Amino acid sequence: MGEVDQTFIQAADHRPKLETIEFDGIPLIDLSTGDIKVLVSEIADACKNWGFFQVINHGVPLELFTKINIAAKTFFDRPIEEKRKVKRDEVNSYGYHESEHTKNVRDWKEVFDFLIKDPSFLPASPDPEDKEIRTLRNQWPENLPEFREVCQEYARELEKLAYQLLELMALSLGLPSNRFDSYFEDHTAMIRFNHYPPCPCPELALGVGRHKDAGALTIVAQDDVGGLQVKRKSDGVWVPVKPTPNALVINVGDTIQVWSNEAYESVEHRVVVNSERERFSIPVFFFPSHYVMVKPLEELVNEQNPAKYKEYNFGKFFVARSRGDYKKLEVEDIQIHDFKII
């Protein structure tokens, strides 16, 4: 990743402005707050007004962050031929990848993906008539002592936190705390190591182009370099998510937007790069089971607030969206607005 190939260059209106502007940050929520009503209210406000927030005192052991960050850096520091031994493709979509596309433009990054549940299951194709289910398994690099164990330990801790956050989101919508649980019995959640090398032309490329997340929620551990930006709902300005020590960044995904019938919205975000420092981040994408039919929840729909989306199958939707990760397509990936009831 030396010079900037044309495939990385963003269209002029999507290139980042690199001047540093100070903003009030996204909400910071202390999960150890004893008053559950206060906590639920803070979650509701953050989800409604931002679609993003950070959490502290989240219960994930701090020493585990040190171990998982070392694991990620150790993997990416390997020679490219070693990393490509666990290269993912359209059939086996977990492992290493260095040419991911977002909105049909190549991202300035390399990734390593692994499942929380191994094996997991997804439809073989987006075709509604195709009933075949594909078995997905992790690929682990050889000769990296403790790499797999550290990844699996991190996965267990973050899975627990994801369920806790879903319970708080359910309560914040006036629902029972376990309202979402049944949708995740065979969840297809995954964890990604992102590595953003220094970029010689950061004003032309993006680490990840503007996008929304397909799942229910995303939990991101980021280092101190910074680069994540959120499109502020109130005015469309790109606001940096300043790294906060020991905090995790949470964002609402498309699935929660549909379940909540747009009480909460999934918000566009992107990653800018810089010319001097490499950056690492570790997102957890919490996806429902592949067979879940996603639609606005009955409890949140009435005559005054009718359903805003048609029902869709999560697995088929996810497989259709993921096709654009590997190559430039002629059309934009499928989005939830394709299911919007006008």
Side-chain angles (χ1 to χ4, degrees):
M1 288 186 174
E3 291 306 306
V4 175
D5 185 278
Q6 287 293 315
T7 57
F8 291 104
I9 295 177
Q10 295 284 327
D13 53 344
H14 294 302
R15 292 175 191 168
K17 294 179 175 63
L18 298 180
E19 69 270 20
T20 304
I21 304 170
E22 285 301 314
F23 290 97
D24 289 335
I26 64 170
L28 181 67
I29 297 175
D30 184 346
L31 290 186
S32 67
T33 300
D35 191 330
I36 187 70
K37 285 186 178 175
V38 170
L39 185 53
V40 167
S41 173
E42 288 179 344
I43 296 273
D45 287 346
C47 291
K48 278 179 195 157
N49 299 324
W50 282 92
F52 262 80
F53 53 97
Q54 296 195 74
V55 294
I56 54 173
N57 295 320
H58 38 64
V60 180
L62 299 184
E63 63 270 17
L64 188 51
F65 289 122
T66 302
K67 292 200 293 190
I68 200 74
N69 284 319
I70 290 170
K73 180 160 176 51
T74 302
F75 175 78
F76 289 122
D77 282 348
R78 303 189 107 191
I80 188 67
E81 56 271 16
E82 284 297 313
K83 291 183 280 193
R84 284 179 176 159
K85 286 180 181 177
V86 289
K87 186 169 172 56
R88 70 180 216 208
D89 55 36
E90 289 184 68
V91 175
N92 188 354
S93 49
Y94 297 89
Y96 175 71
H97 194 49
E98 79 272 45
S99 55
E100 187 151 283
H101 290 66
T102 303
K103 305 283 187 191
N104 288 327
V105 181
R106 191 172 167 191
D107 296 329
W108 189 268
K109 67 174 181 182
E110 55 181 343
V111 306
F112 177 80
D113 294 340
F114 60 97
L115 294 156
I116 291 180
K117 284 192 178 194
D118 184 9
S120 287
F121 305 93
L122 277 176
S125 81
D127 180 355
E129 302 305 312
D130 184 359
K131 305 301 181 193
E132 184 185 348
I133 299 299
R134 197 154 39 104
T135 301
L136 304 166
R137 293 188 178 278
N138 287 328
Q139 300 187 82
W140 297 108
E142 294 179 359
N143 305 318
L144 275 186
E146 298 182 12
F147 181 86
R148 179 174 181 170
E149 290 73 16
V150 169
C151 290
Q152 290 171 332
E153 183 185 358
Y154 190 77
R156 286 191 296 274
E157 289 292 334
L158 271 289
E159 184 182 39
K160 276 195 297 193
L161 178 61
Y163 278 115
Q164 181 188 352
L165 291 165
L166 283 172
E167 288 180 1
L168 290 167
M169 285 183 180
L171 291 169
S172 73
L173 288 163
L175 302 168
S177 62
N178 64 351
R179 181 61 178 87
F180 297 128
D181 289 3
S182 64
Y183 299 133
F184 294 88
E185 286 177 6
D186 298 300
H187 70 66
T188 49
M190 58 166 272
I191 297 178
R192 166 169 292 171
F193 293 166
N194 282 318
H195 175 226
Y196 305 95
C199 178
C201 299
E203 71 283 0
L204 298 178
L206 286 167
V208 185
R210 74 198 192 285
H211 68 286
K212 299 180 179 184
D213 291 348
L217 56 85
T218 306
I219 306 173
V220 184
Q222 61 171 343
D223 64 14
D224 63 350
V225 175
L228 177 61
Q229 295 184 337
V230 177
K231 195 171 189 179
R232 189 162 53 193
K233 286 174 64 175
S234 59
D235 55 11
V237 168
W238 287 104
V239 176
V241 178
K242 242 189 310 195
T244 300
N246 305 323
L248 289 163
V249 183
I250 317 297
N251 66 279
V252 170
D254 288 345
T255 307
I256 290 278
Q257 176 169 323
V258 175
W259 281 337
S260 73
N261 206 31
E262 292 188 356
Y264 298 162
E265 283 182 54
S266 176
V267 175
E268 270 197 322
H269 49 288
R270 67 183 187 183
V271 174
V272 298
V273 288
N274 70 82
S275 59
E276 294 169 5
R277 293 183 68 189
E278 64 182 347
R279 176 178 181 264
F280 296 90
S281 72
I282 305 175
V284 178
F285 300 101
F286 211 60
F287 301 132
S289 313
H290 74 85
Y291 46 77
V292 166
M293 300 303 293
V294 181
K295 64 178 181 179
L297 298 179
E298 293 169 8
E299 304 96 311
L300 303 178
V301 172
N302 54 43
E303 276 185 35
Q304 290 73 41
N305 186 33
K308 295 181 170 71
Y309 294 91
K310 294 178 283 191
E311 184 177 70
Y312 64 89
N313 172 267
F314 179 77
K316 295 286 186 186
F317 172 74
F318 181 71
V319 169
R321 262 190 60 147
S322 300
R323 290 182 303 171
D325 289 353
Y326 295 92
K327 58 194 172 192
K328 185 168 182 174
L329 303 175
E330 294 306 310
V331 295
E332 187 180 337
D333 300 331
I334 193 169
Q335 304 290 332
I336 55 169
H337 62 63
D338 294 308
F339 299 96
K340 188 97 189 241
I341 297 170
I342 299 168

